[in-house]
Amino acid sequence: MNSNRISNKEVVSILKEVLAAMDVKNFNVFRVRAYQNAIAILDNLTVSIYDLWENGRLKEIPGVGASIYAHLNELFSEGKVKEFDAIKKDLPEGMFALIGIRGIGARKAFKLANAFKIKTREGAVEKIKEHAEKGEIRELEGFGEKSEKDILEAVGQFKMTKNEKERVLYSKAEETVERIYDYMKEADALSHIEAAGSFRRKNATIGDLDIPVATTDPDKTIKHFLKFPEIAEILVKGDKKCSAVLKNDLQVDLRVSTPEAYGAMLQYFTGSKQHNILLRNFALSKNMSLSEYGIKKGSDIYEFADEPSFYKFLGLPYIEPELRNGSNEIEAAIENKLPDLIELKDIKGEVHTHTTDSDGISTLEEMVEAAIALGYEYLGISDHAPSVTSRGYREVSDIIKKKRAVINKINEKQNFIKVFFGYEVNILADATLGLPDEVLSELDYVVASIHTSFNQDREQITDRLLAAIENPYVNIIGHPSGRLLNQRDPVDPAWDKVFLAARDNNKILEINSQPDRLDLTDDLVKEAISWKVKMVISSDAHATDQFSHMKYGIYNARRGWAEKKNIINTLGFSDFVKEAGIRLK
Ligand code: DGT
Ligand code: CA
Ligand code: CA
Ligand code: ZN
């Protein structure tokens, strides 16, 4: 294996430091911006940047221009980049440890590290704290008593800026957004409020909330918002916008617009930045220019109350927020080839759920009842499989026989729903499954998932996934990348081999809807579709109230350009049984 194979996180952190150094050294703004764009895009990839490079596909990534490509090429082939070293030369290393503390960007970090001769990263934050306590920071040019106090406070509570903070799960941000909507309902003069930014694009994680509002009285609306009881600190208070940090540490940027021009404001702050840049270029080619206030054509500025009319004016169909990632959505829009995205109402049933028989907290009967209430045609129960090693073959056979009887009875008793009997079986470290084939053959279907040994090298991870896919009794690979947002990186197999094997063996990859999984990740969903791999979306509910997680999986699938036809649990009972290879007993 090549020793220069480094993780996406490392690549991004190397680029971020170069960007900071370029900033300090006053590099050309276009060059700086090119780096910013590339970083924003690379930061959101789950596919390995190294792999893309190795497969000659790195150039396809939007934002990776010729110069950045050349540098990454050098990084991956040589292990380091001469020009990066040159750019960072003469800068005190300590500055890189200071960037990201709230109020400290690249330039301030440089000034501080330089003034106090902070040469190493280690201990840099502590040193700054000492100098602030001694009142030495206020003496520096460009700093004052106020910024010293802010730095001291930020260091004391180790408050990082939005860009360095841990990103918040979409589902958590959603709770906050609901409370803000509720509170803002009381504001008069307000005619529309919608959280934009990454939240509206349904990103798996959210950096901060951007909320454009339409109002006939901006002053009143802003004043009302600033009295929101959850605000911990007000950062900016203007007549067109304000920013505050909430007690849960989430930052909210509120912007006001007139109702007549709200469409352009919503569009601008929905982003993504890269989408907006590409859209601006497209508009320029038609002699129009875009801003958060409207579209300028000749000397006239046109206003739009909503987004569809904004896109229409540009000669484009409406582009769903989930597609606005700055990849190929504008080209697709021009050619009228945007996907017809899947919706929650398309789902007809699901096959990855747990009960009190394993680690669930609702009983089998309760889960079935909840699925009937949702109008599902079928429900697969896939508890973690009992272990043959600890219980012995005979006991496991007994458990299966008993459960089969229970499920048969449920299926005979009512006509609303068909219950499938499956297990979620571990893909073990040695690439075998947690249950022997003769036991698997007694089940209606099998979900195979990796739950342990995530740190194996990529050949081993690839082999494990391939072995599971090739097992004749396995129908579905559960949460294929194994990532846990903010906790565990995705595994990094040769995805092309995994997709190929899934397609050739007619197996299904799961999109798991748990808010901290969302796995397959959005970019892998898009890849899987291009390989013509079938997918299901699962709530992986461990309790009746978790069936509602399905919507997060839908959002994630939509970000991966999935249509109804790509997701097989949009099929009715008999078609699903056929497509999924369910072995009804
Ligand atoms: P986040 O907060 O990190 O999860 O991601 P976003 O996409 O919400 O990013 P944020 O909060 O920095 O900015 C919100 C939107 O505002 C962004 O999606 C597009 C727009 N925007 C921000 N900065 C720029 C910019 O420099 N150029 C353009 N064209 N749009 C921008
Ligand atoms: Ca944001
Ligand atoms: Ca923001
Ligand atoms: Zn599960």
Side-chain angles (χ1 to χ4, degrees):
M1 203 163 78
N2 191 316
S3 58
N4 298 325
R5 183 158 206 287
I6 58 176
S7 72
N8 287 10
K9 220 184 254 170
E10 286 168 285
V11 174
V12 167
S13 121
I14 289 169
L15 291 177
K16 276 187 178 170
E17 294 195 353
V18 175
L19 176 67
M22 296 200 300
D23 194 5
V24 170
K25 292 191 171 174
N26 284 317
F27 273 58
N28 173 309
V29 288
F30 293 104
R31 230 178 128 187
V32 171
R33 229 177 262 157
Y35 268 78
Q36 277 169 339
N37 291 338
I39 289 169
I41 286 169
L42 296 175
D43 210 4
N44 274 318
L45 288 180
T46 19
V47 216
S48 150
I49 301 168
Y50 183 93
D51 282 0
L52 288 170
W53 168 75
E54 199 173 45
N55 298 331
R57 294 186 48 200
L58 187 52
K59 280 185 190 152
E60 291 168 26
I61 301 297
V64 177
S67 135
I68 290 168
Y69 176 79
H71 289 141
L72 290 177
N73 188 34
E74 188 178 338
L75 178 66
F76 293 138
S77 48
E78 311 293 329
K80 60 190 189 116
V81 182
K82 280 206 195 88
E83 195 176 333
F84 287 178
D85 294 340
I87 294 172
K88 286 169 80 177
K89 194 166 176 268
D90 305 328
L91 295 177
E93 279 278 314
M95 70 172 270
F96 297 109
L98 302 177
I99 296 173
I101 295 173
R102 186 186 295 159
I104 304 183
R107 287 159 191 264
K108 282 195 172 167
F110 170 70
K111 278 190 190 162
L112 290 167
N114 218 20
F116 301 119
K117 306 202 163 33
I118 304 178
K119 297 215 172 71
T120 59
R121 292 169 198 244
E122 207 160 294
V125 176
E126 290 72 19
K127 281 185 194 147
I128 283 305
K129 189 168 176 227
E130 282 164 28
H131 290 292
E133 279 164 351
K134 286 194 221 150
E136 291 170 358
I137 290 181
R138 69 182 76 174
E139 309 294 337
L140 300 178
E141 201 200 318
F143 293 81
E145 255 180 78
K146 164 95 171 73
S147 54
E148 182 178 83
K149 192 170 150 267
D150 290 347
I151 290 174
L152 196 56
E153 201 199 84
V155 171
Q157 308 173 16
F158 216 70
K159 276 193 193 156
M160 303 303 271
T161 64
K162 172 202 150 196
N163 288 331
E164 303 294 327
K165 264 192 232 174
E166 184 163 278
R167 297 175 61 84
V168 177
L169 293 185
Y170 177 88
S171 60
K172 277 281 157 216
E174 186 182 37
E175 292 168 11
T176 302
V177 166
E178 299 290 339
R179 292 197 301 273
I180 293 174
Y181 286 171
D182 248 16
Y183 170 79
M184 292 300 283
K185 268 199 300 218
E186 312 291 314
D188 36 57
L190 185 82
S191 65
H192 200 88
I193 177 165
E194 186 156 6
S198 52
F199 183 79
R200 186 156 177 257
R201 302 194 315 274
K202 309 288 198 304
N203 256 36
T205 61
I206 307 297
D208 71 0
L209 291 173
D210 309 279
I211 311 191
V213 297
T215 171
T216 49
D217 189 341
D219 192 49
K220 244 189 186 166
T221 304
I222 288 181
K223 280 204 178 111
H224 182 82
F225 173 71
L226 290 176
K227 286 194 216 114
F228 182 48
E230 291 183 37
I231 290 180
E233 187 186 352
I234 294 173
L235 301 174
V236 181
K237 197 164 148 180
D239 52 0
K240 285 200 176 116
K241 63 174 186 181
C242 64
S243 288
V245 179
L246 305 182
K247 288 173 185 157
N248 63 9
D249 220 26
L250 200 54
Q251 184 176 320
V252 183
D253 298 334
L254 191 87
R255 329 248 168 182
V256 298
S257 160
T258 60
E260 295 74 29
Y262 186 66
M265 183 69 82
L266 180 62
Q267 195 287 324
Y268 181 86
F269 288 107
T270 296
S272 65
K273 204 166 154 180
Q274 186 67 14
H275 173 79
N276 286 353
I277 289 170
L278 296 176
L279 196 65
R280 185 177 57 204
N281 291 343
F282 172 73
L284 284 175
S285 75
K286 300 189 133 198
N287 291 317
M288 297 188 244
S289 70
L290 307 181
S291 75
E292 60 261 57
Y293 307 110
I295 300 178
K296 201 167 159 211
K297 192 174 179 182
S299 55
D300 297 323
I301 293 189
Y302 296 82
E303 293 190 333
F304 304 91
D306 57 38
E307 278 187 332
S309 59
F310 179 95
Y311 281 98
K312 190 167 178 210
F313 193 83
L314 293 170
L316 294 176
Y318 181 68
I319 302 176
E320 298 282 356
E322 291 95 324
L323 297 177
R324 300 185 201 166
N325 274 331
S327 56
N328 57 330
E329 71 273 14
I330 293 175
E331 288 152 44
I334 293 168
E335 294 166 14
N336 239 318
K337 283 185 181 152
L338 287 171
D340 182 10
L341 296 178
I342 181 169
E343 294 176 51
L344 183 58
K345 66 172 171 50
D346 296 329
I347 295 296
K348 300 271 169 56
E350 70 153 304
V351 284
H352 185 167
T353 60
H354 296 258
T355 74
T356 45
D357 285 351
S358 62
D359 55 351
I361 58 172
S362 301
T363 63
L364 178 60
E365 290 77 8
E366 288 165 342
M367 294 298 278
V368 171
E369 206 175 297
I372 292 173
L374 284 169
Y376 284 173
E377 294 180 25
Y378 46 91
L379 173 69
I381 300 286
S382 59
D383 275 299
H384 295 288
S387 158
V388 175
T389 350
S390 58
R391 291 176 189 263
Y393 185 81
R394 175 161 314 153
E395 194 181 329
V396 169
S397 270
D398 265 5
I399 293 173
I400 290 178
K401 227 174 263 156
K402 278 196 192 119
K403 191 158 179 167
R404 168 68 70 194
V406 172
I407 287 176
N408 280 348
K409 207 169 196 179
I410 292 175
N411 282 335
E412 284 154 19
K413 234 176 31 197
Q414 49 77 42
N415 276 322
F416 299 109
I417 201 166
K418 277 273 182 276
V419 178
F420 306 140
F421 178 15
Y423 274 132
E424 183 176 15
V425 178
N426 290 339
I427 305 171
L428 302 175
D430 64 359
T432 62
L433 294 177
L435 285 179
D437 282 1
E438 60 265 39
V439 178
L440 297 181
S441 71
E442 294 174 38
L443 304 169
D444 295 341
Y445 75 103
V446 171
V447 179
S449 314
I450 294 186
H451 286 115
T452 54
S453 309
F454 295 94
N455 293 329
Q456 289 177 330
D457 66 33
R458 70 192 311 248
E459 282 74 20
Q460 283 173 296
I461 294 280
T462 307
D463 287 348
R464 282 166 82 184
L465 287 168
L466 294 184
I469 288 169
E470 284 160 12
N471 180 299
Y473 300 105
V474 169
N475 304 67
I476 300 167
I477 303 296
H479 42 74
S481 90
R483 79 157 169 193
L484 287 178
L485 287 160
N486 292 334
Q487 290 177 61
R488 186 170 63 217
D489 285 337
V491 293
D492 188 24
W495 283 110
D496 46 356
K497 289 189 188 155
V498 173
F499 292 140
L500 193 64
R503 188 186 68 195
D504 289 351
N505 289 277
N506 204 17
K507 298 299 169 73
I508 302 157
L509 299 183
E510 174 185 73
I511 299 174
N512 188 294
S513 305
Q514 294 212 13
D516 60 346
R517 287 196 183 272
L518 299 174
D519 178 10
L520 289 175
T521 59
D522 47 16
D523 49 355
L524 290 176
V525 170
K526 202 173 176 186
E527 285 275 311
I529 291 172
S530 73
W531 283 91
K532 299 195 162 47
V533 170
K534 292 192 275 196
M535 289 175 277
V536 289
I537 307 182
S538 311
S539 71
D540 195 1
H542 283 61
T544 53
D545 62 355
Q546 291 178 7
F547 277 111
S548 62
H549 286 166
M550 179 65 75
K551 70 173 175 187
Y552 303 121
I554 295 279
Y555 297 154
N556 189 65
R558 288 167 62 91
R559 287 177 52 81
W561 294 51
E563 304 191 353
K564 187 175 168 181
K565 65 169 187 253
N566 304 121
I567 307 295
I568 65 167
N569 54 325
T570 59
L571 296 172
F573 169 75
S574 44
D575 287 334
F576 178 79
V577 166
K578 232 179 281 159
E579 283 295 316
I582 306 284
R583 302 174 289 275
L584 289 178
K585 302 276 180 315

